[in-house]
Amino acid sequence: SYELDSTDYETARLAGIAFALSKNFNRALYFFKKAVVLNPTNAGANMNLGNVYYNLGDSENGKKYHEIAIKL
């Protein structure tokens, strides 16, 4: 069994992408949130978080994080 490093931005980002690609959006949300906490000024991290919110039907948060990403 593998354990993910909970303090590494790149690990969180890649795990989020993997879960999003497999359509496991709730797990992707967990990792993309973690990526934003670890690197809040990263436009890609915020864009990914916005995308997964849209995929979960939460357009309010999707728009919020896309707007943050655009401003960065």
Side-chain angles (χ1 to χ4, degrees), residues 15-64:
I17 290 170
F19 282 113
L21 288 173
S22 66
K23 308 262 188 258
N24 188 338
F25 297 118
N26 288 313
R27 290 295 289 159
L29 180 65
Y30 171 82
F31 285 105
F32 285 143
K33 280 183 177 179
K34 183 171 282 296
V36 168
V37 167
L38 293 168
N39 197 346
T41 60
N42 184 290
N46 283 281
M47 187 62 71
N48 286 335
L49 184 54
N51 290 343
V52 82
Y53 271 122
Y54 275 116
N55 279 299
L56 287 168
D58 184 347
S59 58
E60 184 177 334
N61 276 315
K63 180 180 177 183
K64 173 186 169 181

